[in-house]
Amino acid sequence: MALEGASPTLEDVARTAGVSRATVSRVINGIRNVDPVIQQTVRKAIADIGYVPNSAARSLVTRRTGSIALIVSGAGEDVSEDGGEDFGGDGDGDFAGDGDGNFRGDGDGDFAGDGDGGVGGGRSRCGDGGRGEVGHFGQVGGGDWGKGGDLGQVGGAAAAGRRIAYPGEGVDGRIGKGVGEGVGGSVGEGAGTGVGKGAGTGVGEGVGMGVGTGSGGSFFNDPFFGRVVAGVVGFLGRRGAHPTLMFAETDATRAQVVTYLRQGNADGAVLVSTHAADPLPALLVEARVPAVLFARPAQALPISYIDVDHRAGAKLAAGRLVALGRQHIATISGPLGVHASQERLAGFRDAMAAYGRPYIPSAEGGFTYDSGEVAMERLLAEYPELDGVFVANDLMAQGALYVLRHHGRRVPDDVAVIGFDDSSAATACRPPLTTVRHPVEDMAAEAARLLLNRIEQPDQPPTSVIFAPTLVVRRSA
């Protein structure tokens, strides 16, 4: 039963449990040399009287903050060899980070802004001009993430930032208010001025400690990142740890991130690095910051990481296309400056060679919808006979499906299409996309688990966990 009057103290817990104040302190701070029976008695006393530990005082004892940094590094940089599409947005408040709550906006719910667009209020075009996909990071104007308004109406002109517009065909906005206008803006033009404005007054106000000052446009435009956040937040939340979202897109912001961590503002970091040349993994190792990398590092480093077997996933796609009897198979790769793109392309080519197909035409994309359109146009122009395509992620596959439809190619009758990720983009497509499942949420949760273990046992050697992909068969192949 909770004590009435003043808030319960450590002494009240000790008196209720029949132990010393020092013993209660050791139990609360997770010090291990306490008998399990006594630990249970102390925890029961805490629950009975309603004692709430003082986090500031606890931090002084444990030298821990209870905060974990989730860092996205390089998401605003163009990593494709042919220029591709710069991921940066044009908002003027993006990720400035002066809010006081982790992952909270100034609207009603997580990642919510107070404007029309929320953050990710709905995504357009799947392949048949159908209704837009729901938003990934918040409902329109407020509410918990995962909801969003429908978008996607015919227009007649390309939205700002789109690569291709077909006369008479509606091409709607990516994230914004395109309904009724037919031309929402690219990443926020229809939702304000850049992603930051659509989310209120700069996404940073909803991020808490958003150290990075770059736009991070692809973070809000790609469901992959939302799945990472969901996995990390879900795991940490059940363990009383608090995530802090940070962005590092330049040398200056990477230095800020390292300084922030070295000063003890977070206990460790889960790092999502988006290109092979990113120096941040090595900087964290050098700074001796507990960290886990989401994906295998491009260079050998003593750092723990989790990844999916990209080559095995590409092999699954190759086997499916061959089993369907496709004779003229091509692939759309991701940006070749990204290790995962290299692995998927190599795995697909190796698998096709094992099936007696030594040459596979390819076009490089940028892991974006628009780059999928451009790459598919290129392949159709150079190899009009193609009847099967493996696309290295689902967003590019969406763009590829739209181009195939425009050219009168039926999917899967004329061309079978397989993606990679099994994101919400795959189920939003028409026809629904056959894809290689990338278990991002499970991987993110595992990264958070490895990090907490690393924080508890800093002398343990680095470790790695590789997840097995699976093929999810839908109607596109």
Side-chain angles (χ1 to χ4, degrees):
M1 178 182 296
L3 297 179
E4 296 182 0
S7 299
T9 65
L10 210 64
E11 287 76 10
D12 294 327
V13 177
R15 187 163 44 252
T16 302
V19 298
S20 69
R21 185 183 187 282
T23 297
V24 174
S25 179
R26 286 198 297 272
V27 172
I28 290 173
N29 292 316
I31 298 173
R32 300 178 179 221
N33 61 342
V34 180
D35 183 271
V37 175
I38 295 177
Q39 291 185 41
Q40 184 175 0
T41 301
V42 171
R43 292 193 181 101
K44 183 177 185 302
I46 290 171
D48 287 346
I49 69 173
Y51 173 73
V52 178
N54 184 300
S55 58
R58 185 179 180 186
S59 293
L60 289 174
V61 175
T62 64
R63 295 186 179 181
R64 294 179 189 165
T65 65
S67 175
I68 298 297
L70 173 56
I71 306 169
V72 180
S73 179
E77 298 176 356
D78 185 354
V79 295
S80 62
E81 290 188 354
D82 62 354
E85 177 174 324
D86 192 336
F87 291 145
D90 57 358
D92 58 3
D94 297 352
F95 309 106
D98 58 358
D100 57 3
N102 292 332
F103 296 97
R104 296 199 64 82
D106 54 0
D108 294 331
D110 294 353
F111 289 95
D114 60 357
D116 294 330
V119 178
R123 189 176 301 279
S124 62
R125 187 72 61 189
C126 296
D128 67 345
R131 297 174 75 84
E133 178 186 345
V134 297
H136 298 294
F137 287 96
Q139 98 183 57
V140 178
D144 293 337
W145 50 308
K147 304 175 184 177
D150 288 333
L151 274 183
Q153 292 296 329
V154 297
R162 294 294 294 275
R163 291 298 187 87
I164 300 173
Y166 302 106
E169 297 285 338
V171 184
D172 27 279
R174 277 313 192 86
I175 299 177
K177 300 187 295 185
V179 176
E181 299 171 357
V183 289
S186 66
V187 191
E189 179 68 25
T193 51
V195 177
K197 287 293 185 180
T201 54
V203 176
E205 290 190 8
V207 171
M209 294 302 302
V211 170
T213 57
S215 66
S218 72
F219 181 86
F220 292 101
N221 206 31
D222 189 335
F224 167 81
F225 294 109
R227 296 173 67 194
V228 173
V229 171
V232 170
V233 172
F235 183 88
L236 293 179
R238 294 190 296 271
R239 288 153 183 83
H242 308 289
T244 298
L245 183 60
M246 308 178 78
F247 294 86
E249 300 178 3
T250 65
D251 289 341
T253 54
R254 279 186 278 269
Q256 291 174 12
V257 166
V258 173
T259 298
Y260 179 87
L261 293 169
R262 294 185 68 174
Q263 289 174 344
N265 294 296
D267 299 326
V270 173
L271 172 60
V272 183
S273 181
T274 60
H275 63 95
D278 185 6
L280 190 52
L283 292 174
L284 293 179
V285 171
E286 181 181 352
R288 303 180 65 83
V289 171
V292 175
L293 189 59
F294 195 104
R296 187 193 309 264
Q299 63 185 86
L301 288 172
I303 189 170
S304 295
Y305 68 87
I306 52 92
D307 208 345
V308 69
D309 190 335
H310 299 281
R311 288 178 179 251
K315 182 178 180 180
L316 292 173
R320 176 68 177 174
L321 291 172
V322 170
L324 292 173
R326 303 303 161 130
Q327 298 299 313
H328 305 285
I329 296 172
T331 183
I332 297 175
S333 76
L336 295 178
V338 175
H339 181 70
S341 301
Q342 299 167 7
E343 289 290 288
R344 293 175 196 179
L345 179 60
F348 189 71
R349 283 176 167 164
D350 287 350
M352 292 304 298
Y355 287 115
R357 317 281 183 92
Y359 174 68
I360 300 298
S362 67
E364 181 183 358
F367 280 156
T368 64
Y369 179 104
D370 297 336
S371 69
E373 286 185 339
V374 173
M376 191 71 254
E377 285 283 3
R378 187 183 310 157
L379 286 176
L380 284 177
E382 296 178 7
Y383 308 98
E385 71 277 12
L386 68 82
D387 60 3
V389 184
F390 168 54
V391 188
N393 86 332
D394 294 343
L395 275 180
M396 292 193 300
Q398 280 187 313
L401 285 171
Y402 181 66
V403 170
L404 288 170
R405 173 179 173 273
H406 172 73
H407 285 277
R409 302 293 183 94
R410 298 169 300 165
V411 176
D413 303 68
D414 301 325
V415 182
V417 179
I418 297 178
F420 199 113
D421 279 342
D422 195 29
S423 67
S424 54
T427 55
C429 286
R430 297 294 178 271
L433 185 67
T434 293
T435 187
V436 177
R437 175 157 179 76
H438 188 180
V440 175
E441 295 87 351
D442 294 341
M443 293 168 62
E446 179 64 13
R449 187 191 70 80
L450 291 178
L451 179 59
L452 293 186
N453 288 346
R454 183 76 172 169
I455 293 168
E456 288 291 334
Q457 304 177 63
D459 295 330
Q460 292 296 310
T463 188
S464 59
V465 178
I466 306 298
F467 284 72
T470 55
L471 184 69
V472 179
V473 177
R474 297 191 180 97
R475 288 171 47 200
S476 70

